[in-house]
Amino acid sequence: YQRGDNHVHAELTKRGPLLSRCGGGRARDDGGRGGGAPGENVFWVRGGGRRPPPLSSSVLPGITRESVIKLAQDLGIPFVEQAIPREMLYVADEVFFSGTAADYGKQMLGGIRAYFRLHGDTFAGRRIEVIVRDTTGPNPEIARRLAQELVTRDKVDFLAGFGFTPSALAAAPVATAAKTPMVVMNAASSVVTERSPYIVRFSMTLPQVSAPMAIWAAKHGIRTVYTLVADYAPGIDAEKAFKAAFIAAGGRIVDSVRTPLRNPEFAPYVQRIKDAKPQAVFIFVPSGAQSVAFMKAFEERGLARAGIQVIGTGDLTDDDVLQSMGEPVLGIVTSHHYSAAHDSAENRAFV
């Protein structure tokens, strides 16, 4: 779509389609070959092998891309970087895109479909139609535009979803202006429901799961903690709630760090934690690729061998990524509002 430095390229690929009121853009390099997209990496599949474009094709070296490549290598799936002309996309066995926010959308849609399967999709004589739109991650500009289109063009009765706080905050004024109920299914910053009288949240807030972790840590003899959180509203909420509860219980915060929401490189942060020698490190990062990336850095830097306990919110050990993180997660303690392992008749039916 545009040419130039990869980071500038990614921003232009996001903003260009927004100005043209298009659904999204795909990047191309100087030779017209396909690269990635804002918040997404592309993988071309043919004959059993996976072929991502090389970094030279205007691709950012994100966590998700590295995680998919590592998983394929571990599973013995052939993986070769290859420039992808546009015509190759038409003859692929499969083309898939991956991004750090994909899991949230899949879980929300899965929950809706599971409810319809159990209870049907018709209520009071009216069939419920679900219209799906993709914000491609924590992109407030896209969320605002899509919410506006759903309200004015599609005439929806409800807005629902919202995996990330920035997207929910961007859509809130649209819901207020249109007097359209807005159902937040994930975005966990405590401020979200204050931004519109039409918002209701069916999930939780980060303070609700962070403070109990602090109390647990203090009760189990942990006296010094280093905190690491993603640098956006939910991360700041988690950090503040954990600190307040831990200090009130007699603990001491050794230091704190906030990491970028997009494409963080955890190794230097993890090394700083190791050098500080706390008894534990409290973590909040969005579930998915960032969880995998943090645990990879944790293992490589030898924090477990240094006797540093990992505690955090359940985002770190989300059910969708837990198995892919392997043995390094053994011994981690997290607190959350839900787990697929919850032993109840309702959960067994859902899972």
Side-chain angles (χ1 to χ4, degrees):
Y1 181 74
Q2 299 280 357
R3 296 186 297 175
D5 173 81
N6 284 11
H7 286 84
V8 175
H9 194 157
E11 186 64 22
L12 291 173
T13 305
K14 179 175 72 174
R15 292 184 179 275
L18 282 174
L19 294 174
S20 302
R21 299 185 64 78
C22 297
R26 296 287 177 261
R28 288 189 289 171
D29 63 14
D30 290 350
R33 292 160 298 203
E40 297 178 335
N41 298 109
V42 63
F43 297 88
W44 185 84
V45 181
R46 182 73 182 237
R50 276 45 171 185
R51 304 180 187 184
L55 298 182
S56 58
S57 289
S58 300
V59 174
L60 291 174
I63 292 172
T64 307
R65 183 178 187 273
E66 294 177 2
S67 298
V68 172
I69 292 174
K70 179 64 165 58
L71 288 172
Q73 291 171 341
D74 291 346
L75 295 171
I77 299 173
F79 224 103
V80 179
E81 288 189 345
Q82 178 180 345
I84 304 176
R86 184 173 63 180
E87 57 270 17
M88 285 181 65
L89 299 175
Y90 304 141
V91 298
D93 296 332
E94 178 185 0
V95 176
F96 67 92
F97 292 87
S98 63
T100 57
D103 288 341
Y104 290 143
K106 291 177 182 176
Q107 291 173 8
M108 292 174 196
L109 196 56
I112 293 170
R113 288 171 174 166
Y115 187 89
F116 284 170
R117 183 175 296 177
L118 290 171
H119 304 284
D121 61 0
T122 302
F123 302 89
R126 301 180 65 181
R127 182 177 178 275
I128 306 299
E129 178 187 0
V130 178
I131 301 173
V132 180
R133 296 289 184 266
D134 184 7
T135 62
T136 73
N139 292 315
E141 299 98 334
I142 295 178
R144 184 183 300 108
R145 175 174 60 81
L146 292 178
Q148 189 69 52
E149 290 177 359
L150 287 166
V151 167
T152 58
R153 186 181 65 191
D154 297 301
K155 308 296 183 183
V156 299
D157 297 299
F158 291 86
L159 293 168
F162 307 102
F164 285 91
T165 291
S167 299
L169 296 181
V174 177
T176 301
K179 298 183 178 179
T180 299
M182 177 173 157
V183 181
V184 174
M185 297 181 173
N186 186 70
S189 175
S190 54
V191 74
V192 167
T193 53
E194 300 174 11
R195 292 302 175 89
S196 172
Y198 293 90
I199 291 179
V200 61
R201 175 163 38 203
F202 288 171
S203 56
M204 51 88 187
T205 66
L206 263 302
Q208 288 176 305
V209 295
S210 301
M213 191 72 262
I215 295 169
W216 180 92
K219 286 183 177 180
H220 286 77
I222 295 174
R223 292 291 176 261
T224 58
V225 172
Y226 198 119
T227 67
L228 180 150
V229 301
D231 191 10
Y232 73 131
I236 296 169
D237 269 2
E239 177 189 271
K240 289 181 178 178
F242 181 88
K243 283 183 174 180
F246 189 61
I247 293 171
R252 180 172 67 89
I253 301 298
V254 175
D255 205 346
S256 299
V257 65
R258 298 173 182 175
T259 59
L261 180 57
R262 290 183 177 274
N263 301 321
E265 171 53 57
F266 285 109
Y269 299 112
V270 172
Q271 185 60 51
R272 285 164 58 183
I273 294 169
K274 183 179 180 181
D275 294 342
K277 299 180 180 179
Q279 287 179 271
V281 53
F282 170 78
I283 304 295
F284 165 75
V285 293
S287 66
Q290 289 205 25
S291 305
V292 176
F294 174 81
M295 290 311 304
K296 177 183 177 183
F298 178 84
E299 173 70 8
E300 290 176 348
R301 298 283 169 162
L303 267 69
R305 293 188 295 276
I308 299 174
Q309 167 80 50
V310 174
I311 57 178
T313 67
D315 307 86
L316 183 63
T317 51
D318 188 271
D319 297 299
D320 282 349
V321 297
L322 187 58
Q323 295 302 318
S324 66
M325 292 192 285
E327 290 189 5
V329 299
L330 295 176
I332 289 178
V333 179
T334 60
S335 60
H336 217 40
H337 65 302
Y338 172 74
S339 167
H342 181 61
D343 187 16
S344 69
E346 294 85 353
N347 190 57
R348 286 191 293 271
F350 173 71
V351 174

